[in-house]
Amino acid sequence: MGKIVIAAGLILIAGVGVAGAETPQCPGEISARQELASPHEGWREQRRNGLHLNAHITLYDGVPAEQASLVPDQTRQVKGREISTWNFGNLSTRRIWIECHYAGTSISLTRELPAGTKTCSVSSEPNTRSSDLRRRIRRIDCS
């Protein structure tokens, strides 16, 4: 698999994953435009422009629409960072997906991880929190 480039936002440093494929990294920030689905009597919609920072990730067994989210097998503190690790092994015959969530918006980005992905580790800074009180993701490594 060639180099993966994501145009929506800043990309964090990519790690090397399965069979030389790069581990997809969530864009560090996105610009999103949201609107009300229907007006509310007596109220006016107010929009704020700005960037939304990557706040956290969710890993799924299968497509995210099926909501089969996975919890980490282990979470530990290393040099002031929190590292959460998921071990997929051969338990799932389905593909693993990642969803990148962003502070202050309901917009998220999803993508399938490379076939054969057996483990993922996510490094975050627990003392650096974005506006929705989630940990700031620093690096994602899958193999």
Side-chain angles (χ1 to χ4, degrees), residues 53-66:
L53 300 177
N54 179 233
H56 68 284
I57 63 111
T58 304
L59 293 172
Y60 294 95
D61 179 12
V63 295
E66 295 174 357

Side-chain angles (χ1 to χ4, degrees), residues 61 70 73 85-96 114-120 143:
D61 179 12
L70 301 169
D73 293 297
T85 303
W86 289 258
N87 296 304
F88 313 120
N90 295 320
L91 298 177
S92 176
T93 58
R94 300 178 341 148
R95 299 286 292 271
I96 304 299
T117 299
K118 301 287 186 213
T119 184
C120 284
S143 58

